[in-house]
Amino acid sequence: METRYNHKEIEEKWLKNWDEQKNFKPRGTQCAASKHFSVVIPPPNVTGALHLGHALNNTIQDILVRYNRKLGKNTLWIPGTDHAGIATQAVVEKRLMQEEKKTRHDLGREELVKRIWEWKDEYETRITNQLKLLGSSCDWDKQRFTLDPICTKAVRHAFFNLFKKGLIYRGKRLVNWDTHLHTAVADDEIYHETVKGHFWTFKYPLADGSGYIPVATTRPETILGDTAVAVHPEDERYKQFIGKTLLVPFVNREISVIADDILVDKEFGTGSVKVTPAHDPNDYATGLRHKLPMLNILNEDGTLNENAGEFKGLKGEKARAAVVEGLEKSGLLLKVEDHEMQVGKSDRSKTIIEPYLSDQWFVKMDMLAERAMQAVESGEIKFTPARYAKNYLNWLGEKRDWCISRQLWWGHQIPIWYSSTRPNINRPDIHYFQAENGDWLVCSLEEDLDENSIEGLKLVRDPDVLDTWFSSALWPHSTMGWPGETEDLKEFYPTSVLVTARDIISLWVARMVVFSQENMDKIPFSDVYINPTILDGNGRRMSKSHGNGVDPLDIIEKYGADSLRFVMCSICTENQDARLPVKKEKQEDGREINISEKFEVGRNFGNKLWNAARFLKPHISSVESGELRVESLEDKWVLSRLNTVIRGVRNAFENYRFSEYASLVYHFVWDDLCSRYLEIKKGEISKESSTLLSHSLYTALDLLHPIMPFITEELNAILFPNSERVILREWPSADENLINAEIEKQFEDIFAIVEAVRSVRGRYSIAPSQKITATIRTSANLESSRNMIKDLSGLSEFDFGENLQHPAFSASAVIPGGEVFVPLEGILNKETEIARLKKEIEKAESFITSLNKKLSNESFVKNAPVAVIDGERQKLATQKDIVEKSQAMLRELEQ
């Protein structure tokens, strides 16, 4: 057995083995249980490589899959990727501009789509490789892509069915418009920034020249699209103006003064509001209430159009400045006030979003949303943590129609053809109806029509594509072959659990429920586990722009996949925000990468397990060689601990408490088995103990396998070469008869005392070989444990009792329900030790003063690299810790 664990060789070995043995495929009739367990991967976007959030998400999925596979369930995990329409087209267009100085219009639709397919092939391969290196036990023969033929067929059928039911319609509505990408985007694809702006108050002149109404706005350029000014019906200042006519500055268009108590707060600002229905959501709603004209003043690129008169062609800040200048020159500007406001920006292009009146396709959501809400309200679908059900219900509760069209070239092109004349056709795969503007809309189920496909009609296809989330919403059943009646759908649908992030609950989770109920008449999954979001040590999200992103492959290269997986599982707490301190590290090849030392915990655990196995290898016996024979109290204890952990892990899995699972197996292997039990035995391992150790280690490998599959499989092959591989072995069951809470409590008391004595030795640099005595204040009866305590802690003798006093000149350490005192007379010189501690405190306090001075220097904090500042803060924390501990020791000695 190698002295060191070589994760690279072992990971490569077992990935190949599992693949050759087809261990990731469903086992069908080979399964001990008929019940299935199935998962569909949240498909990563083919925009680039995976990040640490993907590593966490897929680690949790794989842990669940491996666990349920070992429970004997027929298990399927379907992998795949998402075409991510707007995101992928945006990155390819960006590269096109950077490398060739060309836009998509320079290439044309066909050539751009070809380029994006090439991008997709490159990054899909990269993503798949990353997932495999992580150890993801997916059925790779079933890998899907949201634009592949199987998923495309599902999209066509879903669209056709909704269209035929009248649940899909086309209309002119206000949408969020990305002026850079020239497409509509969803509310959930927008982020908001606080920016410094202004309130401009200006005169809105009455058409008869008799006066004006003062109006304030943060967007003066939209004055050109006003179709009314609203006042509160009970505002005495403006009652006389209701129904009168105003003139829009610069264009001299007549608009009315309307009364509206929904839009207008008479106590805010001027008490009057300009109404621009085509460029503001609140104004749009007002326009609908009052049947106002909706005047669009923008082109698709955000420039002002011909409706803006003399300002045509201007955009954004330039348009705003020109309008303000015009107001000032014409004597209409009354005052300007500073004002902070929230501005929406496109998550993809980072440009300011414009509310924009546009012809779009929509799904009617009222009835669909109601049914999806009932699935969660009834408990049919359960969220973990439970609080996220509120996000789901709040979003669906708005029942807003879903804008499903995007003005892009990459994606599922909408299967609609326009005709100016009514079709005269009766085919089950063709459906049509008349739109709001009088056009006839023709929908084809699977066939792509051309201009003359239907006799007597001249057909023109809609150029738009579907929102990415339309195809993603079909993912659970489209990946299994719907609309066909496949074996996978019969065996594995609905899926068992969805593991995903909180930021796509509305974008994806809710819509999957909607579409599954609509297409399959059942929910797509019964459980939704929301995994945590990974932040850096300063609480910031990891991203390229922040320079704090961590590449999972760098972690796998340095620490190993098992180390990465262990830490990912460990940070999955209820807190939902997991912090990983990040630092930069130079590599031998000259690259600078981001790493987190937190992954050393996983690597150290793997090394501990490997070294323990090396030590125990000569003592390992076949686990099938005979029944367990318990010869001592510590044997009963370790068996009780093992079965308590088996029971606890089962409970942790059933409640999606992954950090608890990691902690249970970690402390059993590291503390109970490798540290405490082996230390008690001290190499004197009898035949009976050998059998017990073999059983414990064999079972520990099973418990650890879902979280650390590579090292467990390798150690099993080395230590138990005649046994079945861990991936296929049955999950261990807890033997309740072997669980003894009293013995476990007794040993916890023993180890607490031992640790307390050791902490005193470390505090005062007392050598482990030096025999000392102790006084233990406790209500526990330690007589039967006397020899074990003395042996493990290096005590020559100790006394114990409930009311023992603190001996003079002694160190102390708290234990549960008591205290341990170690007399220091004859071990330390009291005066010398007190003098040493005072000098240590003085030195540390001087260092603290220096560090505080440096960190309070604004110039230093502003200009120094983040890593340097973090280093100084760490030094400060260390010195404060030294002072705190030294002062505690000083107080102890001066008693």
Side-chain angles (χ1 to χ4, degrees):
M1 188 172 176
E2 295 292 333
T3 56
R4 296 185 64 187
Y5 175 55
N6 187 324
H7 70 262
K8 294 179 184 177
E9 290 182 5
I10 289 168
E11 287 164 11
E12 185 178 346
K13 168 186 172 180
W14 286 105
L15 284 173
K16 182 180 179 183
N17 181 283
W18 292 325
D19 182 56
E20 288 175 349
Q21 299 297 318
K22 301 189 181 303
N23 292 143
F24 299 164
K25 300 187 75 62
R27 297 165 67 195
T29 55
Q30 300 174 44
C31 293
S34 59
K35 189 176 179 181
H36 80 261
F37 181 84
S38 59
V39 179
V40 290
I41 195 171
N45 294 346
V46 289
T47 47
L50 301 186
H51 52 65
L52 212 52
H54 292 109
L56 185 148
N57 176 266
N58 286 283
T59 293
I60 297 305
Q61 289 178 85
D62 193 51
I63 286 171
L64 288 169
V65 168
R66 288 178 183 270
Y67 168 70
N68 281 277
R69 187 183 286 122
K70 286 173 69 60
L71 285 179
K73 296 179 184 178
N74 196 21
T75 304
L76 173 65
W77 183 14
I78 297 179
T81 51
D82 197 308
H83 69 279
I86 188 170
T88 308
Q89 182 167 322
V91 296
V92 174
E93 282 195 56
K94 183 178 180 181
R95 185 166 76 168
L96 182 66
M97 177 55 66
Q98 289 173 341
E99 295 180 359
E100 302 179 37
K101 305 300 180 194
K102 291 181 178 178
T103 69
R104 61 167 155 165
H105 301 287
D106 294 324
L107 260 64
R109 185 168 191 150
E110 186 176 340
E111 179 60 25
L112 181 75
V113 169
K114 178 186 173 187
R115 297 279 189 99
I116 302 176
W117 272 106
E118 291 169 357
W119 172 284
K120 170 263 176 188
D121 291 340
E122 176 186 348
Y123 280 91
E124 184 179 58
T125 301
R126 187 172 174 182
I127 287 167
T128 300
N129 182 54
Q130 284 183 297
L131 289 170
K132 288 181 177 180
L133 290 175
L134 184 64
S136 303
S137 58
C138 304
D139 185 347
W140 295 104
D141 292 337
K142 294 186 184 294
Q143 186 167 357
R144 299 262 62 84
F145 175 55
T146 51
L147 271 177
D148 70 20
I150 290 174
C151 291
T152 296
K153 184 175 181 179
V155 166
R156 293 290 290 261
H157 277 252
F159 187 97
F160 184 86
N161 293 341
L162 291 170
F163 183 83
K164 194 172 182 179
K165 290 181 177 181
L167 294 176
I168 284 181
Y169 67 92
R170 182 171 173 80
K172 193 177 286 291
R173 303 289 187 272
L174 195 71
V175 296
N176 304 307
W177 189 259
D178 185 320
T179 58
H180 178 75
L181 295 172
H182 299 185
T183 182
V185 296
D187 290 345
D188 309 88
E189 295 168 319
I190 297 171
Y191 67 97
H192 291 83
E193 285 185 351
T194 300
V195 299
K196 293 184 183 298
H198 299 91
F199 258 130
W200 286 272
T201 303
F202 66 99
K203 303 174 184 178
Y204 229 119
L206 289 157
D208 61 9
S210 61
Y212 66 88
I213 294 177
V215 176
T217 180
T218 59
R219 302 186 68 205
E221 70 277 13
T222 62
I223 293 171
L224 305 163
D226 289 350
T227 56
V229 167
V231 297
H232 197 281
E234 297 175 5
D235 193 332
E236 296 296 334
R237 294 173 295 174
Y238 302 122
K239 270 187 176 181
Q240 71 272 26
F241 296 120
I242 296 171
K244 291 197 172 185
T245 304
L246 302 171
L247 281 180
V248 178
F250 310 115
V251 294
N252 293 324
R253 184 166 30 81
E254 291 189 350
I255 61 173
S256 296
V257 179
I258 61 173
D260 193 289
D261 59 359
I262 298 175
L263 180 67
V264 182
D265 177 358
K266 64 180 180 178
E267 305 300 328
F268 180 76
T270 61
S272 58
V273 179
K274 58 187 284 302
V275 184
T276 321
H279 298 289
D280 181 273
N282 293 322
D283 294 1
Y284 178 73
T286 304
L288 292 176
R289 286 196 299 275
H290 294 270
K291 296 183 173 57
L292 297 175
M294 304 218 177
L295 183 67
N296 180 21
I297 59 169
L298 293 180
N299 295 309
E300 290 187 356
D301 63 358
T303 58
L304 294 172
N305 63 23
E306 63 278 359
N307 291 325
E310 64 188 89
F311 302 103
K312 178 182 177 182
L314 296 178
K315 182 178 180 179
E317 290 296 332
K318 287 184 178 180
R320 183 170 301 170
V323 170
V324 170
E325 183 182 3
L327 289 171
E328 192 168 15
K329 284 181 177 178
S330 59
L332 295 177
L333 188 64
L334 290 171
K335 64 178 177 177
V336 182
E337 299 168 280
D338 291 338
H339 175 68
E340 282 193 349
M341 57 186 177
Q342 290 279 303
V343 172
K345 290 189 173 182
S346 169
D347 189 47
R348 298 305 173 188
S349 69
K350 313 305 179 190
T351 52
I352 292 175
I353 288 294
E354 291 286 356
Y356 184 72
L357 199 61
S358 174
D359 287 311
Q360 300 289 340
W361 287 93
F362 295 86
V363 174
K364 293 180 181 178
M365 289 296 293
D366 49 359
M367 296 304 295
L368 296 173
E370 184 62 35
R371 188 180 178 192
M373 291 172 68
Q374 290 171 4
V376 169
E377 290 169 339
S378 67
E380 192 179 6
I381 295 175
K382 184 181 77 171
F383 277 81
T384 303
R387 61 183 178 273
Y388 287 112
K390 186 177 180 180
N391 299 38
Y392 173 98
L393 293 170
N394 285 349
W395 185 80
L396 282 173
E398 294 177 6
K399 298 181 180 177
R400 288 180 297 166
D401 288 355
W402 172 18
C403 177
I404 58 170
S405 49
R406 298 291 183 268
Q407 290 62 53
L408 302 168
W409 292 348
W410 172 246
H412 292 278
Q413 192 169 352
I414 290 176
I416 290 289
W417 286 258
Y418 298 102
S419 170
S420 58
T421 57
R422 177 171 182 158
N424 184 19
I425 187 172
N426 185 19
R427 281 171 48 181
D429 64 333
I430 298 286
H431 190 76
Y432 55 88
F433 66 75
Q434 197 166 23
E436 293 175 355
N437 65 358
D439 284 343
W440 288 92
L441 309 175
V442 180
C443 184
S444 170
L445 180 60
E446 291 187 12
E447 180 188 353
D448 279 347
L449 306 177
D450 58 34
E451 186 180 28
N452 302 308
S453 291
I454 299 177
E455 187 178 354
L457 299 182
K458 186 176 181 180
L459 299 175
V460 178
R461 187 168 188 177
D462 193 303
D464 291 354
V465 299
L466 288 167
D467 177 11
T468 292
W469 298 103
F470 191 97
S471 53
S472 300
L474 301 168
W475 188 248
H477 50 287
S478 67
T479 52
M480 295 189 193
W482 182 86
E485 296 180 2
T486 66
E487 290 301 315
D488 280 349
L489 283 170
K490 292 176 185 176
E491 173 67 17
F492 295 108
Y493 203 83
T495 62
S496 306
V497 61
L498 174 73
V499 180
T500 190
R502 63 186 184 233
D503 52 356
I504 53 174
I505 290 173
S506 57
L507 285 167
W508 192 43
V509 180
R511 288 165 177 168
M512 281 191 287
V513 176
V514 165
F515 272 20
S516 182
Q517 289 176 322
E518 176 66 18
N519 297 332
M520 305 295 294
D521 199 30
K522 59 182 71 173
I523 57 173
F525 32 70
S526 54
D527 284 68
V528 179
Y529 173 72
I530 304 298
N531 59 245
T533 298
I534 301 180
L535 310 175
D536 69 9
N538 297 316
R540 298 181 304 172
R541 278 201 175 216
M542 292 185 175
S543 69
K544 285 183 180 179
S545 59
H546 288 149
N548 62 353
V550 177
D551 186 337
L553 290 188
D554 288 336
I555 301 301
I556 291 173
E557 174 74 17
K558 183 175 178 65
Y559 298 102
D562 284 338
S563 301
L564 171 63
R565 292 168 63 104
F566 181 81
V567 173
M568 293 293 94
C569 184
S570 300
I571 63 178
C572 284
T573 65
E574 280 278 316
N575 183 41
Q576 285 288 294
D577 279 336
R579 292 198 178 195
L580 285 177
V582 174
K583 72 173 187 178
K584 295 191 180 298
E585 183 177 275
K586 197 92 168 180
Q587 302 301 291
E588 291 181 1
D589 59 6
R591 289 185 308 129
E592 190 174 64
I593 65 170
N594 285 335
I595 65 161
S596 176
E597 292 179 351
K598 214 162 188 179
F599 292 105
E600 290 180 5
V601 174
R603 181 174 63 184
N604 293 344
F605 182 38
N607 288 338
K608 179 86 168 183
L609 183 61
W610 185 264
N611 291 333
R614 285 184 63 244
F615 172 75
L616 292 172
K617 189 173 185 297
H619 307 286
I620 293 296
S621 60
S622 170
V623 287
E624 293 88 12
S625 60
E627 68 175 276
L628 293 173
R629 291 170 58 183
V630 180
E631 63 176 13
S632 65
L633 190 64
E634 61 264 25
D635 292 346
K636 291 180 180 179
W637 166 74
V638 80
L639 269 180
S640 179
R641 287 294 304 131
L642 175 62
N643 284 278
T644 297
V645 168
I646 293 171
R647 183 176 64 187
V649 166
R650 186 71 173 256
N651 184 264
F653 268 116
E654 288 174 355
N655 292 282
Y656 301 105
R657 295 199 296 265
F658 295 101
S659 64
E660 183 178 321
Y661 159 50
S663 178
L664 282 167
V665 291
Y666 175 89
H667 287 295
F668 175 75
V669 172
W670 187 290
D671 296 331
D672 297 335
L673 192 60
C674 296
S675 297
R676 294 169 174 175
Y677 184 73
L678 287 182
E679 187 176 6
I680 293 170
K681 293 298 183 183
K682 287 196 172 167
E684 298 175 8
I685 301 174
S686 66
K687 182 179 179 182
E688 287 76 13
S689 294
S690 171
T691 303
L692 188 150
L693 271 169
S694 300
H695 169 76
S696 299
L697 194 54
Y698 180 86
T699 306
L701 295 179
D702 281 320
L703 296 175
L704 267 172
H705 179 77
I707 193 171
M708 302 178 83
F710 296 103
I711 194 171
T712 52
E713 203 72 271
E714 180 68 10
L715 287 177
N716 183 72
I718 292 170
L719 301 175
F720 309 105
N722 297 322
S723 70
E724 190 172 21
R725 283 169 306 135
V726 192
I727 192 172
L728 300 178
R729 208 153 65 205
E730 186 178 349
W731 185 260
S733 297
D735 187 340
E736 296 291 334
N737 295 321
L738 294 175
I739 296 177
N740 188 318
E742 288 185 12
I743 290 179
E744 290 193 36
K745 174 64 170 64
Q746 180 181 351
F747 271 77
E748 282 306 307
D749 291 340
I750 292 170
F751 295 127
I753 293 167
V754 171
E755 289 302 317
V757 173
R758 288 175 178 173
S759 73
V760 171
R761 285 183 180 275
R763 198 186 314 160
Y764 291 100
S765 302
I766 303 171
S769 59
Q770 183 172 355
K771 291 292 183 181
I772 55 178
T773 62
T775 296
I776 304 171
R777 185 191 293 158
T778 179
S779 59
N781 187 343
L782 303 176
E783 195 57 50
S784 63
S785 311
R786 181 176 291 277
N787 289 337
M788 188 181 296
I789 292 171
K790 287 166 61 177
D791 192 36
L792 293 175
S793 55
L795 293 174
S796 58
E797 196 50 78
F798 69 86
D799 56 347
F800 67 90
E802 198 166 0
N803 300 308
L804 296 182
Q805 297 302 306
H806 188 154
F809 187 34
S810 63
S812 65
V814 175
I815 59 173
E819 200 166 0
V820 173
F821 306 104
V822 176
L824 299 175
E825 194 70 50
I827 299 172
L828 295 177
N829 181 291
K830 185 174 183 179
E831 286 71 25
T832 302
E833 186 64 17
I834 287 174
R836 184 189 71 80
L837 288 170
K838 286 182 176 178
K839 190 173 181 180
E840 188 77 23
I841 292 168
E842 183 181 352
K843 181 181 175 183
E845 286 179 336
S846 175
F847 200 2
I848 288 170
T849 301
S850 174
L851 288 167
N852 277 329
K853 186 176 180 181
K854 181 183 283 189
L855 289 168
S856 63
N857 185 322
E858 290 185 14
S859 177
F860 170 74
V861 174
K862 183 178 179 181
N863 298 311
V866 174
V868 172
I869 297 170
D870 288 345
E872 295 301 297
R873 286 174 176 157
Q874 183 59 50
K875 289 178 189 176
L876 180 62
T878 300
Q879 295 306 309
K880 286 181 176 179
D881 187 54
I882 289 171
V883 170
E884 184 180 342
K885 288 179 177 176
S886 297
Q887 287 176 338
M889 292 165 65
L890 193 60
R891 287 192 296 271
E892 187 173 64
L893 293 176
E894 291 178 334
Q895 284 183 352

